[in-house]
Amino acid sequence: MKVKQQPGNRNAHLTSGRLLARNALWNLVGNGSPILVAVFCIPVLIRGLGTDRFGVLTLTWAVIGYGSLFDLGLGRALTQLVARKLGAAEDHGVPTLVWTSLLLMLLLGLIGAAVVVLLAPWLVERVLHVPAGLQRETIRSFYLIGLSIPVVTSTAGLRGFLEAHQRFGWINALRVPTSVLTFVAPLLVLPFSKNLFSVVAALAVVRLIACAAHLLLCLRFAPELRQGIAWESGAVGALLRFGGWMTVSNVVGPLMVTVDRFLIAAVLSVGAVAYYATPYEVVTKFWIVPGAIIGVMFPAFSTSFVQDHARMAYLFRRSAKYLLLVLFPIVLLVVVLAQDGLRAWLGAEFAQRSTHVLQWLAIGVFINSLAMMPAALLQGAGRPDLTAKLHLIELPGYLLALWWLTKAYGIDGTAAAWTIRAAVDALVLFHLTKQFLPVALPSSLRPVLLMPVALMTLVLATLPQGHVFKGIFLLVTMIGFLLTVWLLLSPEERHLAQQCL
């Protein structure tokens, strides 16, 4: 593929390595800090609200968290299209594109609000089987949740615009307090009322303030947006096409991630779900790391795709390499020490039932995390249809393998099916990226060649038994890992590492 370049583009700084690294760290802080707050707030909320009310509150969090799905992927589409315009130095077309996107997302949010409001009584009474004494306040709470959906979708669009401009410092300056208040606001309401409507109202106010703050930031960093609301019919098709394929991935992807627990309950037992879900919840927290990097690299790939293909390949190689080097030692420790860690944390019985599950899933999450990088590159290059079609093709085969392996091998088989799907997904995604990487840059695929070695090492890490053999395996593997890291580093990276030591 011929390398494209846009010499003199004043937006070239948007793919600066220093800027991207700083923004990834911002994302890591922004995504990780709410987890720490939740650890302390959730027990207090359970005691204060009671189990039933807290259960409804978790549904509220889920709707707010996934409310951006009602935008049909337009937030991501806006990020990609604005980043491409910035890379091509077509800044003049950005304001109209932004307002067109926001108006579309507001319309979709209003439709989503109407759906939730109309279905609220049926959901509460027939589907969720909320106790009779809580039904009235739960229905009123769902009405309020529905009315807040346009705010959530609009915020997603405004955040997408800021992401295209690599304003992740400001994004996380808003994300952290907003996420923290998601848990703290209900606590502040508890001394005055335990009514769900009051609690949800506090969450709605937090989201409204967050939306206003995002809007003010957008107007500050892009004063041209103040020229007036505009509509461009020609942009609607591109937005809906990109957003539609993103929606397919956003629906099918999470389905493949969560259907395993429902199938375990159906094929095995509800009790078996606990032995599977607990290690799952532990290892999937590692997704914070690739999530922080991917959030930054997606707009960078979009910008560099039209600006400089060589730069895009360079960013892909480095980000894939760093992601592998950061995650491998963490996952290695989890795999080797899985049994000991589970025994110390949850007891011998839990360790006996869940050790292999934890090991399988840790390897699967490692593979899946690496696969996020080529997925981001494909979507950043304007081909979300490739990832969506892959998910659609994978789904029936995965469901069949999941059912067969679960029935034959229990929850160990479930975890194996999950990891095998992740491996197939990664293999295909890395293969698809070849058409977008310059042939003149074979070094871009060097981290890909290292992945089978890392994967084989993790599989071998499941074999050692006893503390002595585990210790020897870890020592030898980590020495080999450090030597490999040194060989993978560029001369500049080695010099920087020597300065830090």
Side-chain angles (χ1 to χ4, degrees):
M1 181 178 288
K2 185 178 179 180
V3 175
K4 298 180 182 180
Q5 293 188 1
Q6 299 289 338
N9 190 337
R10 65 187 182 90
N11 295 315
H13 70 284
L14 294 177
T15 62
S16 162
R18 187 181 297 273
L19 174 66
L20 298 178
R22 183 171 65 247
N23 286 343
L25 290 175
W26 272 116
N27 274 355
L28 194 60
V29 172
N31 293 333
S33 56
I35 296 176
L36 300 176
V37 176
V39 170
F40 294 99
C41 290
I42 286 177
V44 181
L45 287 171
I46 293 175
R47 290 194 299 268
L49 291 173
T51 305
D52 292 334
R53 282 190 173 87
F54 180 76
V56 177
L57 179 61
T58 60
L59 295 176
T60 302
W61 286 335
V63 173
I64 290 175
Y66 290 99
S68 57
L69 288 178
F70 287 98
D71 73 358
L72 297 184
L74 293 184
R76 200 71 161 170
L78 178 59
T79 301
Q80 197 270 343
L81 293 174
V82 170
R84 291 193 69 167
K85 283 187 175 293
L86 295 177
E90 298 175 355
D91 305 49
H92 59 277
V94 170
T96 303
L97 175 63
V98 172
W99 284 118
T100 302
S101 303
L102 291 176
L103 290 171
L104 269 176
M105 294 171 73
L106 179 61
L107 175 61
L108 292 171
L110 291 171
I111 294 173
V115 170
V116 172
V117 169
L118 291 173
L119 293 180
W122 176 73
L123 287 171
V124 171
E125 297 171 6
R126 301 292 181 85
V127 178
L128 301 176
H129 302 294
V130 174
L134 288 179
Q135 285 185 2
R136 182 182 178 187
E137 61 183 276
T138 302
I139 291 174
R140 293 178 64 207
S141 300
F142 270 54
Y143 288 157
L144 193 55
I145 294 170
L147 294 175
S148 69
I149 288 177
V151 176
V152 175
T153 56
S154 298
T155 304
L158 295 167
R159 184 170 57 249
F161 173 73
L162 293 172
E163 287 177 351
H165 285 81
Q166 290 291 336
R167 298 288 184 175
F168 286 92
W170 285 100
I171 290 171
N172 286 285
L174 294 178
R175 175 183 289 157
V176 171
T178 301
S179 301
V180 169
L181 284 172
T182 299
F183 298 101
V184 173
L187 285 181
L188 298 177
V189 173
L190 279 183
F192 307 99
S193 173
K194 294 183 180 180
N195 188 287
L196 278 172
F197 182 81
S198 301
V199 172
V200 174
L203 294 177
V205 170
V206 169
R207 292 292 163 172
L208 184 61
I209 294 174
C211 182
H214 279 83
L215 177 60
L216 290 175
L217 275 181
C218 290
L219 295 176
R220 174 186 173 184
F221 293 127
E224 59 271 19
L225 293 177
R226 301 176 183 175
Q227 296 175 2
I229 298 175
W231 176 266
E232 183 183 353
S233 301
V236 174
L239 286 165
L240 291 178
R241 279 193 301 272
F242 190 99
W245 286 118
M246 286 300 303
T247 300
V248 172
S249 293
N250 291 340
V251 172
V252 178
L255 175 62
M256 289 192 290
V257 168
T258 58
V259 71
D260 47 8
R261 279 155 286 186
F262 293 96
L263 191 138
I264 290 172
V267 173
L268 301 177
S269 68
V270 175
V273 176
Y275 292 108
Y276 179 88
T278 302
Y280 177 91
E281 292 299 327
V282 172
V283 295
T284 52
K285 293 296 183 288
F286 297 155
W287 278 334
I288 292 176
V289 177
I293 298 175
I294 296 304
V296 174
M297 297 311 303
F298 171 70
F301 288 147
S302 299
T303 299
S304 57
F305 178 72
V306 295
Q307 194 177 83
D308 185 348
H309 280 175
R311 178 65 178 171
M312 182 181 69
Y314 173 80
L315 293 175
F316 176 75
R317 175 177 62 84
R318 280 213 163 180
S319 53
K321 177 176 69 175
Y322 292 151
L323 188 56
L324 187 150
L325 297 182
V326 169
L327 284 178
F328 177 78
I330 300 173
V331 175
L332 177 68
L333 287 172
V334 171
V335 173
V336 173
L337 303 177
Q339 186 175 28
D340 303 282
L342 287 171
R343 184 185 294 112
W345 183 32
L346 299 170
E349 181 182 357
F350 217 104
Q352 181 181 2
R353 292 173 177 262
S354 300
T355 294
H356 293 309
V357 172
L358 179 57
Q359 291 173 328
W360 270 111
L361 290 177
I363 296 173
V365 167
F366 174 73
I367 298 170
N368 183 255
S369 298
L370 297 177
M372 292 182 186
M373 195 60 65
L377 186 141
L378 294 172
Q379 293 168 358
R383 295 302 305 272
D385 60 305
L386 294 177
T387 55
K389 291 172 183 176
L390 175 59
H391 286 148
L392 289 173
I393 294 171
E394 285 178 343
L395 181 60
Y398 171 61
L399 292 176
L400 182 62
L402 186 66
W403 175 82
W404 178 70
L405 288 172
T406 300
K407 196 168 184 178
Y409 302 100
I411 57 176
D412 291 352
T414 308
W418 198 97
T419 299
I420 292 170
R421 181 203 62 82
V424 172
D425 189 70
L427 186 65
V428 176
L429 286 172
F430 275 107
H431 175 73
L432 290 173
T433 58
K434 290 182 180 179
Q435 62 183 299
F436 297 96
L437 297 174
V439 178
L441 291 173
S443 61
S444 298
L445 298 177
R446 191 180 302 167
V448 180
L449 300 178
L450 183 62
M451 290 175 191
V453 179
L455 184 58
M456 187 180 302
T457 304
L458 292 175
V459 173
L460 292 175
T462 65
L463 301 178
Q465 299 294 321
H467 295 97
V468 175
F469 289 106
K470 289 179 181 179
I472 294 173
F473 182 87
L474 279 175
L475 178 62
V476 173
T477 305
M478 290 306 295
I479 291 174
F481 171 73
L482 292 174
L483 291 174
T484 303
V485 169
W486 190 254
L487 292 175
L488 280 177
L489 295 179
S490 65
E492 313 91 83
E493 292 168 331
R494 293 177 187 174
H495 179 68
L496 180 62
Q498 287 173 331
Q499 287 182 327
C500 296
L501 293 177

